[in-house]
Structures are given as structure tokens and as C-alpha cells.
Amino acid sequence: MTTHHQHEIIIVGGGGAGLMAALYASRGADTAVISKLYPSRSHTGAAQGGIGAALGNLEDDRAEWHAFDTIKGSDYLGDQDAIEFMCNQAVPIVYELENMGLPFSRTKQGRIAQRPFGGHTNNETKKPVTRAAYAADRTGHMILQTLYQQCIRNKVHFYDEYQVLDVVIENGRAAGVVAWELATGELHTFHAKAVIFATGGYGRVWEVTSNAYAYTGDGLAIVSRRGIPLQDMEFFQFHPTGIRKLGILITEGVRGEGGVLINNDGERFMERYAKTVKDLASRDVVSRAIYLELQGGRGINGENYVLLDVRPETVNKFAELDGRTFPDGRPFRVDREMILKKLPDIIDFCRTYLGIDPLESPMPVQPTAHYAMGGIPTNINAEVVIDENNHVLPGLYAAGETACVSVHGANRLGTNSLLDIVVFGKQAGKHAADFAQHNDFPTFPADAADAARAEVNRLLGNKPVEPAADIAKEMKAIMSKDVGVFRTEEGMSEALKAVRALKERYRKNVGVADQSDVFNTDLINTWELGCLLDAAEVTAASALARRESRGAHSREDYPKRDDENWLKHTLAWRKDGDIKLGYKEVNVSKYEPKERVY
Ligand SMILES: Cc1cc2nc3c(=O)[nH]c(=O)nc-3n(C[C@H](O)[C@H](O)[C@H](O)COP(=O)(O)OP(=O)(O)OC[C@H]3O[C@@H](n4cnc5c(N)ncnc54)[C@H](O)[C@@H]3O)c2cc1C
């Protein structure tokens, strides 16, 4: 049985981007959010450090500097018009969140508190600037709760714990989606004038990741199976400081508050890699530095990790050596209470998961797969664009980590994703509502649910020859080894071949043992593995083709950035069982690409 629904706007995803979109869409149209998780469990809730905005609450700061830092951080692959738009919107949108009731941490004067983050600088002095607005180290949690409350107030319809399996595109226009109700195993069709994808990232492709279990790239797989290209998928960010082996994120805010990275020689090695900003260089730079330390045999006790030290005595020692001051000119010194107040969750995670108290001993850390710069291509209005000339697919929108506007280019700066999700979530909601007001419902095909039903039946009907978990494990190992922080032609070719072989085994050998209808997580996890394999394949194929190093894409065989040949966005289409690649221009409206120096 299939139940049919109709709403003017359907939003897939109840994280920060989805909820901001819902809030704005619901002001002009009948809006529903479909989410596989209960919305407040979305990964946005895990974001710790802060949201970037040049509020200038503690010292001089400007939206223009924020834009330039973002362009530089992106290794010049970000579209400069989109970046300028986002950074100009940052200040009003943070105040908008404050007015909605978001409980930001405060300065003594009662203003929104701010702290330094990697890559954010005063463009004149080149020193780190306090630009990250934060609510302790649970900024994302506060954004999510605030937006959810506002959506409830605005009477947004919620379909919680429904897994979207397919998008319906009819006569070149988005017409709705097909979803699986987790509690009952029933298929539902949703007819809509406009569909917004806000489904988050796909870090579960790698072994060590900061990402939630739900980060399986569903939105990417769904739209690309329907002929929509994915953009810049070779750029995946490894955050320098995940808890060793577990991958749980230790926010860059720790280094913003004065924490330093230390190798086995007791050396603060970032001084050698980024003379000016040291531990606060952009993430690609710091992750590579850690790898080089490990390769050079300077991991702790010869193992694959370094230490992150935020003990007050260490922080104060290096602050004194650096001559660091608070924005008001006093020497930068911290005590236990200050650290505890600003980083309560981090202290708690380490005490719980590691049995280590960061106030007493340093934390063992290693780079962790963190953030997808690539995704579903969109323009500044969050409309999905489907070719080299940026033609719009009417009625289809994307926002948040699943989208690629592109404001992060080849490397995202910390705090710019929370900003991206609210700025472009709002754009998606506003423009979808406008579209819904000016267009009738498209026709909805009678057979809309057939493909999703066939795939579910295939998975339930396949004889389980090998466990899906084994295939997942192999995929993670291959991608971590060959499509991670450092890459080569040989490694990536092998990875691509291996992922394709895994896809074949997945299709032939994987079935679902659990045949029940109620919360069949076996079925859903297996379906999600199919999405992850698609994401891994397109990442490896896009990466293999790009013969240069830029941002997070770092090749040992092509160690230099090559603007002459590669200052362009990748587009990857899934076609006849293969990946077809194309390229499109980067918007370079203001700043000519330069070498990045930190
Ligand atoms: C640990 C961690 C810390 C971070 N810290 C920061 C930070 O301090 N500052 C910063 O700027 N960024 C940070 N980031 C990045 C940032 O939090 C995320 O990129 C951002 O929150 C993503 O928001 P989103 O709305 O796009 O996705 P999410 O919040 O993940 O929402 C995705 C939604 O899609 C739904 N969904 C997915 N697939 C389906 C499907 N098939 N059917 C139905 N629903 C589906 C899910 O249920 C969920 O509701 C952090 C990320 C992590 C992992």
C-alpha cells in the first residue's frame, strides 16, 4: 500500500539547513519537512565551535575580511559572488538567530561572545581575529533547538522518521519524493510544487570520522541517480583534531582558546608550517602538517597520533612566547575555570570517552573525516543547477552540507558551515515559497513509487551471501588509505577499481535478513550503504581526474596548485553505470588567485 500526500513545499532533512528553509518557506506556502531522524537529532546538533560573522564585538572586524579569508581558505575555488553574499548576510542573520531566542555566550558588556578560529584573520595585521559567535561549545545544538521551536510555532508539518528513497522529476521539473515510513515499512508518495534537499554529508565513507551514523550521503545518491550532476566531490575535509581512533571531534575552538599541537619531541610543530597563525592555520594545512609529522616518525610513541594540549600552564607558556593579548590589550592568560566554562562539552567528552581530563593531561588526536565541500550544485538562490552553464532544474533546491554553492571551494573554514546552512537554508525557503506562489502543482506520475519499491524488494529478496558490514568495512579502509589526506594516481585508480568491485558485490551478494516491517534498520542501513558506495565512487573518480593539489585535495604526484588548467569546478554525472566528468567556471569577481601563506 502507498499513502499519498500533497504539500506545496517538501523539505528533505530537518537539520539546520532544512529547518531554516522550512521556517522561511512556511511563511509563504504549505510546507512539510521529511526527516529520517527526529529533527533535533540531526548532525547540526553536534556542531561545537561557533558560527562565523564579522560582528566585531571584541575588536575591529569586517565582512570584507571574512569574505577574503573564506576565498583564500577555499584555495580560490569558492565562487566569490556567493562568498561575498554569505559573509554580508552573516551579521544580520546572527542577530536574527539571537532575536529568535538563541542563547549565545556573552561578553562582559552583554554582547554576543566571539572567539578566534582557523583561517579567520584581521586582514591588516594578519593576526587571528575573534569572529566565531558561540554558545559555549554547543552552538549547533542551540541553533537546531531554536529553529525547531520556531518551525513548530509556524505550524510546519513534520514527517519524522521517514526515509526518502527517491525524488520524482516529471517533464524536467521536480514533482515530489518517495519515502519509507520507518515505524511501519509503508511507502509514501509526496506531491509538491518544490522540493528542497537538506540531507547533510557523507563522512561515513571513511574509517575515522567525526560524522554521525546518519551521514550516508542519501541526498547525493538520490539526485545523482536521477541524472543530476554532483560538484567538486573530490574535496572532502579532514579536520585535524579528532579523538584518536574514535574520530569524535575536538573543536578548533580548543586551539582558538590557546590549545597547541605537540609532537613526540615535545615540539609545537605548527610553528614550522604556518609561521604567523601557527595552530590556527586553515584545516587542510594543519591536517597535512600532522600527517607529515607522523610520516617523519614524530607521532607519539611512534604511533599515528599527536597531542592537543589545552592545560592552562601550556596555554599560558605559549601565549607568553607569542606575545598574545586579549582584544582589549591585556596579556592572554587562562585558568582552569575559564577553560571549563568555554569548552565544557569537550572536557566532558574526553573524561567520558578517553578517561582523560584535558585540564590535567593533553588529548591524543588524529585527523578525522569531517566535511563535504562538494555536493548538489546550486546558485545563490539555492536553486539546483544541472550543467556547465548553470541551467536551473525548476522546483528543485538544495542547501546545507549536501549542497555546493560553492562557498567553501576546496577547503572550508571553521564556523562557515553553520553560517552556510542558515544563509542558504533561508535562500532555499524564500525562493521555493516564491516559486510555489507562481506555479501550479506539476503532474505527478502514477508509477512514482515503482523504482523505490523495486529497490526495497530487491534488497529484501536478495539472498544474503555476505554481510553488508564487511563491504562497508572494506570501502572505509580503501577510501582512508587512497582517497584521504594525501593522494596519488596509483592509489586513486586502485581505490576506484576496488569501490566498483564492492558495488558489484553489494548488488549481487548483499541481502537483508530481517524481513519485518517495523523499524527494519537492517534494510535501511543496507540501502544507505548503497548511497555511501555511490558517494565513494564519485569522490574517487573526481579526485583521480584532478591533476593538481588544491585545498583538501593533496596529491603527492602533482604537489602544486595549477590555476591555468584546474581553476574550475568538477561536475560528475552518473551515466550508464559510469561517471562522466565535466567542468565549469569559478566566479573570480574580485580577488585574483594568489599563493596561500599562513
Ligand atoms: C562534530 C561536528 C562539529 C561541527 N562543528 C561545526 C562548527 O562549530 N561550526 C560550523 O560552522 N560547522 C560545524 N560542523 C559542520 C556543520 O555542523 C554541518 O555541516 C551542518 O550542521 C550540516 O547541516 P545540514 O542541515 O546540512 O545537515 P544535518 O544537520 O545533518 O541535517 C541533515 C538532515 O537530513 C535528514 N536526512 C538525511 N538523509 C535523509 C533521507 N534519506 N530521508 C529523510 N531525511 C534524511 C536527517 O534526518 C537530518 O535531519 C560540525 C560538524 C560536525 C560533524
Side-chain angles (χ1 to χ4, degrees):
M1 202 184 89
T2 311
T3 308
H4 188 67
H5 310 260
Q6 195 181 56
H7 294 282
E8 286 184 296
I9 297 176
I10 291 289
I11 296 164
V12 187
L19 294 180
M20 192 71 173
L23 187 56
Y24 272 86
S26 62
R27 292 179 182 167
D30 165 36
T31 301
V33 172
I34 307 177
S35 179
K36 69 177 180 182
L37 303 172
Y38 189 78
S40 56
R41 297 185 67 87
S42 304
H43 191 67
T44 296
Q48 302 165 355
I51 174 167
L55 305 174
N57 280 354
L58 291 152
E59 58 184 314
D60 193 16
D61 196 10
R62 301 176 202 163
E64 197 185 348
W65 294 350
H66 186 182
F68 176 71
D69 288 342
T70 303
I71 292 164
K72 178 179 168 190
S74 82
D75 222 350
Y76 293 90
L77 192 75
D79 285 317
Q80 299 190 3
D81 53 347
I83 291 172
E84 276 201 286
F85 176 80
M86 178 176 82
C87 296
N88 287 331
Q89 292 293 310
V91 174
I93 217 158
V94 165
Y95 288 131
E96 187 182 347
L97 291 171
E98 183 190 35
N99 293 341
M100 287 180 197
L102 198 149
F104 282 108
S105 296
R106 298 282 159 183
T107 66
K108 280 209 181 76
Q109 294 76 28
R111 297 201 182 115
I112 294 174
Q114 294 187 275
R115 63 175 152 223
F117 242 75
H120 294 277
T121 63
N122 175 315
N123 284 189
E124 282 162 9
T125 65
K126 314 285 183 223
K127 290 206 169 137
V129 72
T130 46
R131 186 177 291 149
Y134 62 93
D137 51 2
R138 32 184 107 96
T139 315
H141 173 83
M142 295 307 185
I143 290 179
L144 201 57
Q145 299 293 332
T146 304
L147 291 176
Y148 187 54
Q149 289 161 7
Q150 294 294 325
C151 284
I152 296 288
R153 178 183 183 215
N154 240 28
K155 307 224 169 0
V156 171
H157 300 262
F158 279 94
Y159 294 89
D160 298 331
E161 302 187 326
Y162 282 61
Q163 185 107 13
V164 170
L165 302 179
D166 202 359
V167 61
V168 183
I169 294 173
E170 184 71 356
N171 300 325
R173 191 183 147 186
V177 297
V178 183
W180 172 264
E181 185 180 358
L182 297 172
T184 62
E186 195 188 318
L187 274 181
H188 294 251
T189 47
F190 291 85
H191 185 193
K193 291 180 176 176
V195 176
I196 303 174
F197 272 85
T199 43
Y202 68 100
R204 287 275 148 192
V205 157
W206 287 271
E207 246 162 11
V208 173
T209 176
S210 66
N211 285 187
Y213 282 98
Y215 259 25
T216 49
D218 304 4
L220 303 172
I222 290 168
V223 302
S224 75
R225 288 168 190 170
R226 292 284 167 203
I228 290 157
L230 299 179
Q231 183 174 325
D232 293 340
M233 291 288 285
E234 61 271 43
F235 298 103
F236 198 93
Q237 176 168 81
F238 285 76
H239 191 293
T241 59
I243 293 183
R244 182 188 173 214
K245 290 188 179 161
L246 303 176
I248 296 172
L249 192 77
I250 303 291
T251 173
E252 205 165 276
V254 169
R255 282 170 285 139
E257 299 299 349
V260 289
L261 289 160
I262 306 282
N263 65 17
N264 199 40
D265 300 338
E267 182 203 8
R268 182 205 195 181
F269 55 87
M270 280 313 298
E271 284 176 336
R272 277 189 278 116
Y273 297 92
K275 279 199 183 62
T276 323
V277 290
K278 297 172 187 158
D279 298 85
L280 285 175
S282 68
R283 289 177 179 171
D284 53 338
V285 173
V286 184
S287 282
R288 277 197 290 275
I290 295 177
Y291 261 84
L292 291 172
E293 289 303 294
L294 301 180
Q295 275 177 4
R298 292 182 293 279
I300 305 302
N301 301 324
E303 293 196 51
N304 279 342
Y305 68 99
V306 294
L307 296 173
L308 174 59
D309 196 343
V310 74
R311 291 174 299 176
E313 57 272 25
T314 311
V315 171
N316 292 340
K317 181 177 110 188
F318 286 105
E320 192 175 349
L321 283 173
D322 290 350
R324 181 170 172 185
T325 56
F326 285 115
D328 63 8
R330 285 175 301 131
F332 185 91
R333 298 292 179 272
V334 299
D335 58 29
R336 294 170 63 92
E337 284 64 42
M338 286 163 77
I339 304 253
L340 202 54
K341 194 164 159 216
K342 288 184 170 168
L343 302 164
D345 276 5
I346 290 301
I347 309 275
D348 199 41
F349 288 159
C350 288
R351 287 175 178 166
T352 307
Y353 297 111
L354 291 173
I356 284 178
D357 184 344
L359 293 171
E360 304 294 338
S361 27
M363 298 165 258
V365 294
Q366 71 180 117
T368 184
H370 185 56
Y371 182 84
M373 270 76 72
I376 306 169
T378 73
N379 60 23
I380 292 182
N381 296 341
E383 295 166 302
V384 172
V385 293
I386 53 171
D387 61 19
E388 291 90 341
N389 300 315
N390 290 316
H391 281 115
V392 168
L393 193 143
L396 191 62
Y397 299 78
E401 191 169 337
T402 199
C404 181
V405 184
S406 132
V407 283
H408 310 301
N411 172 65
R412 172 174 75 83
L413 291 191
T415 77
N416 270 355
S417 171
L418 290 180
L419 180 60
D420 168 4
I421 65 178
V422 288
V423 168
F424 292 102
K426 179 171 170 176
Q427 286 291 89
K430 264 171 62 175
H431 289 279
D434 186 56
F435 182 86
Q437 281 163 9
H438 293 95
N439 289 278
D440 292 329
F441 274 94
T443 47
F444 195 77
D447 62 355
D450 286 6
R453 183 175 296 105
E455 178 63 4
V456 166
N457 287 343
R458 192 187 71 77
L459 289 170
L460 289 170
N462 249 13
K463 204 162 138 242
V465 178
E466 61 176 325
D470 286 0
I471 291 188
K473 206 169 159 197
E474 283 186 44
M475 169 191 71
K476 287 167 201 269
I478 292 161
M479 291 297 286
S480 304
K481 184 170 146 288
D482 289 326
V483 198
V485 174
F486 282 108
R487 304 165 174 189
T488 61
E489 186 88 10
E490 201 190 350
M492 287 186 289
S493 312
E494 269 174 32
L496 186 57
K497 237 193 277 158
V499 168
R500 287 185 166 148
L502 287 174
K503 283 187 76 167
E504 198 51 30
R505 272 164 57 194
Y506 171 81
R507 216 177 51 77
K508 280 205 190 119
N509 299 345
V510 171
V512 175
D514 182 353
Q515 297 283 316
S516 68
D517 291 330
V518 178
F519 284 104
N520 190 341
T521 48
D522 191 7
L523 172 69
I524 286 305
N525 292 345
T526 307
W527 179 81
E528 286 174 342
L529 175 59
C531 298
L532 283 172
L533 287 164
D534 274 12
E537 183 190 18
V538 71
T539 301
S542 306
L544 180 61
R546 184 176 283 272
R547 292 190 161 155
E548 65 156 355
S549 288
R550 183 185 296 272
H553 177 65
S554 191
R555 293 188 58 148
E556 289 173 34
D557 40 5
Y558 295 92
K560 289 235 153 64
R561 197 176 78 196
D562 174 2
D563 288 330
E564 204 168 304
N565 296 303
W566 287 103
L567 183 60
K568 56 190 181 186
H569 296 294
T570 305
L571 293 175
W573 285 266
R574 184 164 290 290
K575 246 191 186 141
D576 309 323
D578 203 355
I579 305 284
K580 183 186 146 248
L581 297 176
Y583 294 92
K584 73 174 183 186
E585 259 177 43
V586 175
N587 176 290
V588 187
S589 42
K590 209 161 179 181
Y591 302 99
E592 280 303 315
K594 278 203 200 132
E595 200 189 335
R596 284 193 308 165
V597 180
Y598 280 107

